[in-house]
Amino acid sequence: MTTDRLAELAALLKDLRKRSGLTQEQLAHASEVSESTIRRLEGGRAQNPTLLSLAKLQDALGAGPEDRRRLAELLANGRAAPAEAPAEAPAEAPPAPAARSGMLVRDDVRSAARDLALEVRRRWRVEEEQRRVHDPFPLPVRWRRTDPALSDHEANIERLPPGAAAPLPTDLSGDLPTVAAFYRRRRSGRLVILGRAGSGKSVLTIRFVQDFLESRAELERVPVIFGIGSWDPTASTLRAWVTERLVRDHPQLADRVAGRSMADALIEADLVLPVLDGFDEIAEGLRGRALEGLNEFSSPLVLTSRREEFAEAVGSAGRPLVWATVIELADLTTEDVASYLPRTARRRPGDGGTGDGGTGDGGRGMWDGVMGRLREEAGSGGGDDGGGAPALAGALRTPLMTALARTLYSDGDRPGGDPAELLDARAFPDESSVEEHLLAGFVPAVYRSRPRDRGWDPERAELWLGYLAHHLAHPDRERQDLAWWEIGDFLPSRQRVLSVVLTATLCTTLSTWLIGFVIGRLPAWENAVQGALMGPAAGLAFGAVYAVMNARGGGTFEPAYVRLRLRPRGGGRPAEAGRGARRGAVRIFTARFGAVLAGGFVMGLGCSCALMVQQQLAYGPRLNRQVLEWMATNMLVFGLIFGAGAGLVFGLLAALEAPLDVASAANPLGLLAANRAIVRGQFLVLVPLLALSVGFGGGLIVSLLDGVVGELNWDTRDGLQIGCVVGLAGGLSYALSFTAWGHWVIRARLWLPMAGKLPWDTAAFLDDAYRRGVLRQAGAVYQFRHVRLQHHLGRAYRRSRTGRSLRWSPVDPAAGPGESG
């Protein structure tokens, strides 16, 4: 905005404020625009005032129609187009719909949106650096208008009222630096980006998020990228799924505000702009329903997809994504590739001549001859249209394949490797053969290029990555999210149950021996027998509980996003909020108590059976009616003691849980470390609480039932010994068998490495693969760099294991024939 226009705007705002009788401080309070912003506006120093701030000031000042018209004219005539916008763009681009009025947004929600924006910006800036997008410069990503049948009417996109004149055709072309400005010009705020595999859709969304946040106004939506491939539209709405993913990737948003999570409050306040990456990765039979679900979600969004899959979904749903502009990414040209690859190659000693590959240093690089051939082919009329282009030119039309070619030849350490081999028509007769060669060489290249980092052998690293890629596949639906807490579930169901049985058996046996040795109530041989019997009994009981949970779909434990807080919920809050928090705590306690009660009862049954066997061994076998009655009574009493004790303790822990206040835990290793600390804290609390609840609670239950079910006896010292065993064994078994971190330790750190499926330090391996560019981070999970790389590694693994594609087992889809997990 020019100096004259700024002065006019300042004078108008100052005059309005004086007429309203407000001071700058009072206006700031009424409009929720900061006092410093008001001072800059009235001083003529705000170079780019936001429409949202000015609209709030108009409302707070009670501006009349004439004043609003003058203000609109100042903005329309005085603001220049963004520097990165195309020359033909209008001077003032209509913005995407803004969030709700600041008067309707709580201060804590506004603060959470600001913190979320900072975290999203930091995360994707790091990810962009990790992907080396700007090294040496970003590959061009351009777009153009696609088939109009895939897009909504222009009048709908502009949200025009009935009878309004149809808008003139809009130029829908652009490139990577202008994506945020292009989006802001689309009034509906709904954009679909189509492109073939590897065309740069993910890179474009990252750049969009960065640029949008650079110019974001207060209370404007925060763009957050979600991999939509894991959304099941038949199981949840998009709004519920986005809320769940927000909590997973940003644990601090699990904090409760007004009876709901902060993530839910942000969605309700319309302060999140979902950037949904990978619509084509949704299961084929669900895409039509997914598009219907997107149409039910009326807020702005950005969606990426391959063209064919999106077109099929539009046909299935019977209409496109409402209010959405649809664009399609264009292929790289030969000149784009020829300008990029030579500048990625290292200069070699002895290079001479005056190469034309664009190295900029007068030397002739390894790519010059190849690029010269491609230029000649393109100049002859058979290059960029794909008709007579060589296989290499066709393969390098996507940023993905160009980046892989760079890794193999410019960055890799391939003795004698020369990109000219890619021009061999006999070895590479078509595009797919070149692409398979680049995909096959990628992992070995990145592990040979930096062998000193961890010393991973390239062949074994490729085998381990292939194992992970294979188990992300599914006959009906393929997953992209590689979550550390789900790796243990790659084991077949029987082995998962067996791991719980063995873990609980070992924990109980060792705990029984240790407590018996310390207390010394029984002879050594009897203590040894008791431990040997109690261990398997508890193991089978834990295994039975887990098997039931697994059969009902609850065998996967997600990371805990809570910590234990001893201060009662609602402390320091208003009385009404405190009462609501207490009622919520009671509900949580009741639900957890009921869920754990049944499991604890099963544990008590196992303990009574073990004691009965011990008695039979110690005093000779005798099986009569009296013994059976004694056994039945013990089963009932121990079941009630263990069930009530465990339910009470876990219910109390649930009532004391508070959200995990760690924003940095959203990356995989950070979340793993946070959960290790959470489980450690839970264990330290569980052991004494379980010991006390069983030791003293058992005496209370026995006193209540004595004479009702028969003559009962509960010696205090025996009760404390049993309580200590239950506390130590139960705490260990719970931590290792019923938490995400425990499954990670037992299965991903021990079981799978012993089977040779993964390295011993799996966490370090995953982090190293991320730093080498094989994996990428998407919040709290890893993903393969591209779904095509995931497919290739999965196929290579299956070929290496069986010599043919593995067939899926109808019993356990996670494992194929011959797989032992």
Side-chain angles (χ1 to χ4, degrees):
M1 186 175 282
T2 64
T3 304
D4 292 341
R5 296 289 180 180
L6 283 173
E8 290 184 48
L9 177 64
L12 175 60
L13 290 175
K14 191 179 299 184
D15 180 58
L16 287 171
R17 183 175 60 79
K18 289 181 178 179
R19 276 191 275 160
S20 66
L22 298 175
T23 65
Q24 289 181 340
E25 181 180 1
Q26 291 170 333
L27 178 58
H29 179 74
S31 65
E32 295 194 351
V33 176
S34 68
E35 190 175 348
S36 61
T37 299
I38 295 173
R39 284 198 298 269
R40 288 199 304 272
L41 287 168
E42 293 189 357
R45 301 189 305 276
Q47 295 295 324
N48 286 299
T50 65
L51 295 179
L52 182 61
S53 297
L54 293 175
K56 287 196 247 180
L57 290 174
Q58 286 180 129
D59 294 339
L61 293 170
E66 181 61 24
D67 293 322
R68 291 177 184 269
R69 184 188 62 77
R70 287 180 57 194
L71 184 60
E73 288 180 353
L74 284 172
L75 291 174
N77 298 325
R79 179 176 288 186
E84 67 273 23
E88 67 274 17
E92 170 55 28
R100 303 293 180 260
S101 167
M103 300 295 290
L104 303 178
V105 180
R106 297 165 50 110
D107 289 341
D108 48 0
V109 178
R110 181 187 296 108
S111 176
R114 183 171 58 250
D115 293 343
L116 177 63
L118 293 173
E119 171 62 20
V120 168
R121 183 183 176 191
R122 180 202 65 80
R123 178 183 300 176
W124 290 111
R125 184 171 63 246
V126 171
E127 189 67 20
E128 201 174 46
E129 294 172 357
Q130 175 67 21
R131 299 189 190 191
R132 303 171 66 185
V133 171
H134 300 283
D135 179 16
F137 60 87
L139 274 164
V141 178
R142 308 180 187 88
W143 65 81
R144 59 177 181 267
R145 182 190 294 270
T146 189
D147 183 359
L150 300 180
S151 181
D152 204 354
H153 299 286
E154 193 68 22
N156 293 339
I157 296 173
E158 292 297 320
R159 308 303 298 272
L160 298 179
L168 296 174
T170 305
D171 181 21
L172 295 184
S173 61
D175 56 10
L176 188 64
T178 66
V179 58
F182 174 83
Y183 173 81
R184 289 182 183 278
R185 293 198 299 273
R186 312 310 294 164
R187 189 176 296 275
S188 68
R190 291 163 77 90
L191 176 66
V192 178
I193 303 168
L194 304 180
R196 61 165 159 167
S199 59
K201 298 184 293 295
S202 296
V203 170
L204 187 71
T205 59
I206 294 176
R207 179 45 30 200
F208 165 75
V209 168
Q210 296 274 64
D211 291 344
F212 192 92
L213 289 174
E214 287 283 347
S215 56
R216 175 181 176 268
E218 187 180 8
L219 287 180
E220 196 173 13
R221 295 178 179 87
V222 180
V224 183
I225 298 177
F226 302 95
I228 195 176
S230 60
W231 176 41
D232 182 355
T234 64
S236 63
T237 64
L238 181 66
R239 187 179 300 273
W241 179 82
V242 166
T243 303
E244 176 188 326
R245 283 300 184 267
L246 269 177
V247 172
R248 185 195 73 175
D249 295 338
H250 303 274
Q252 74 275 15
L253 297 182
D255 197 5
R256 311 288 299 179
V257 52
R260 56 185 174 179
S261 70
M262 183 61 74
D264 197 26
L266 288 172
I267 298 293
E268 186 67 25
D270 216 5
L271 286 175
V272 173
L273 171 60
V275 181
L276 307 172
D277 190 20
F279 177 83
D280 52 277
E281 295 166 2
I282 296 177
E284 182 177 357
L286 295 176
R287 292 187 196 123
R289 181 65 187 89
L291 187 56
E292 294 174 2
L294 291 171
N295 283 330
E296 295 167 2
F297 182 79
S298 59
S299 298
L301 57 84
V302 177
L303 179 72
T304 74
S305 176
R306 291 203 292 263
R307 188 185 190 282
E308 293 76 12
E309 285 79 355
F310 183 75
E312 290 176 3
V314 170
S316 175
R319 60 172 177 166
L321 183 63
V322 295
W323 308 316
T325 302
V326 183
I327 58 176
E328 186 170 1
L329 300 188
D331 290 338
L332 297 176
T333 66
T334 298
E335 191 57 39
D336 292 334
V337 178
S339 300
Y340 178 80
L341 284 177
R343 288 177 58 176
T344 65
R346 295 171 295 176
R347 285 185 273 187
R348 296 181 175 182
D351 282 345
T354 56
D356 59 355
T359 57
D361 59 4
R364 187 171 180 83
M366 64 168 64
W367 287 103
D368 293 351
V370 177
M371 294 301 106
R373 284 278 303 278
L374 295 186
R375 281 191 172 111
E376 291 174 6
E377 196 71 28
S380 66
D384 292 339
D385 62 0
L392 178 59
L396 296 183
R397 280 186 287 183
T398 63
L400 171 65
M401 291 301 159
T402 300
L404 294 183
R406 168 194 178 156
T407 301
L408 262 66
Y409 297 100
S410 296
D411 301 334
D413 185 16
R414 302 177 73 245
D418 187 345
E421 67 183 7
L422 298 175
L423 296 174
D424 186 346
R426 288 178 296 180
F428 305 106
D430 51 28
E431 294 179 23
S432 62
S433 61
V434 177
E435 292 173 350
E436 283 300 312
H437 170 75
L438 296 177
L439 288 167
F442 174 69
V443 170
V446 297
Y447 278 91
R448 278 196 298 263
S449 63
R450 292 185 298 173
R452 298 184 304 275
D453 286 4
R454 294 287 306 188
W456 308 113
D457 177 69
E459 291 185 3
R460 295 200 54 83
E462 188 170 13
L463 178 67
W464 296 327
L465 290 167
Y467 174 82
L468 297 173
H470 163 63
H471 282 280
L472 288 178
H474 192 278
D476 300 320
R477 185 174 190 177
E478 185 167 35
R479 295 176 292 169
Q480 278 70 50
D481 291 348
L482 179 59
W484 57 261
W485 60 90
E486 294 179 348
I487 292 178
D489 292 337
F490 293 167
L491 288 168
S493 298
R494 290 186 297 273
Q495 293 190 31
R496 296 200 296 271
V497 174
L498 180 60
S499 70
V500 172
V501 172
L502 294 179
T503 300
T505 297
L506 184 62
C507 291
T508 305
T509 298
L510 295 179
S511 299
T512 303
W513 287 346
L514 176 63
I515 299 300
F517 174 78
V518 172
I519 295 179
R521 293 272 293 170
L522 297 174
W525 72 268
E526 195 169 345
N527 182 55
V529 171
Q530 187 176 74
L533 293 173
M534 292 289 289
L540 291 174
F542 271 94
V545 172
Y546 177 81
V548 172
M549 295 178 62
N550 189 56
R552 300 178 60 181
T556 298
F557 294 91
E558 294 195 358
Y561 296 94
V562 295
R563 55 188 169 86
L564 295 181
R565 177 180 57 186
L566 297 181
R567 188 177 65 178
R569 291 176 182 265
R573 297 182 183 180
E576 184 62 31
R579 285 193 294 271
R582 285 190 291 273
R583 287 194 295 269
V586 171
R587 287 194 299 269
I588 294 173
F589 172 87
T590 304
R592 188 73 63 87
F593 178 87
V596 178
L597 177 65
F601 192 87
V602 174
M603 307 301 171
L605 297 181
C607 177
S608 65
C609 291
L611 289 176
M612 186 270 225
V613 174
Q614 177 191 349
Q615 293 289 330
Q616 294 293 308
L617 292 176
Y619 302 107
R622 46 176 183 162
L623 193 61
N624 51 42
R625 180 178 178 181
Q626 183 179 5
V627 172
L628 292 177
E629 290 178 352
W630 173 80
M631 179 180 175
T633 302
N634 270 6
M635 292 175 69
L636 173 64
V637 174
F638 275 109
L640 290 176
I641 292 174
F642 282 33
L648 177 66
V649 170
F650 280 93
L652 178 62
L653 291 183
L656 296 177
E657 287 175 353
L660 181 62
D661 189 20
V662 184
S664 62
N667 65 77
L669 293 188
L671 188 59
L672 177 61
N675 268 260
R676 180 172 57 245
I678 291 170
V679 174
R680 186 186 301 122
Q682 290 176 333
F683 172 76
L684 293 177
V685 174
L686 273 176
V687 171
L689 288 183
L690 282 174
L692 293 174
S693 65
V694 172
F696 291 101
L700 177 61
I701 290 176
V702 167
S703 65
L704 293 175
L705 296 179
D706 188 21
V708 177
V709 296
E711 185 177 349
L712 302 178
N713 178 45
W714 184 265
D715 183 82
T716 303
R717 292 185 61 184
D718 288 339
L720 287 178
Q721 181 175 354
I722 294 175
C724 290
V725 171
V726 171
L728 184 57
L732 282 172
S733 299
Y734 167 78
L736 296 176
S737 301
F738 290 91
T739 65
W741 178 78
H743 284 183
W744 162 263
V745 171
I746 298 300
R747 300 174 185 176
R749 292 298 308 275
L750 295 174
W751 197 292
L752 288 170
M754 284 192 295
K757 302 300 176 62
L758 289 176
W760 287 104
D761 196 346
T762 306
F765 175 71
L766 294 175
D767 185 60
D768 182 66
Y770 163 68
R771 299 188 183 283
R772 292 177 188 268
V774 181
L775 300 177
R776 63 188 183 189
Q777 285 185 5
V781 300
Y782 291 107
Q783 294 176 343
F784 280 90
R785 175 175 180 151
H786 195 274
V787 68
R788 290 201 61 183
L789 178 63
Q790 177 179 322
H791 290 167
H792 171 81
L793 290 171
R795 288 194 304 269
Y797 174 81
R798 290 189 285 273
R799 286 195 299 266
S800 70
R801 300 298 295 173
T802 65
R804 56 183 175 84
S805 297
L806 294 178
R807 295 180 181 176
W808 299 102
S809 168
V811 176
D812 190 348
E819 283 289 305
S820 61

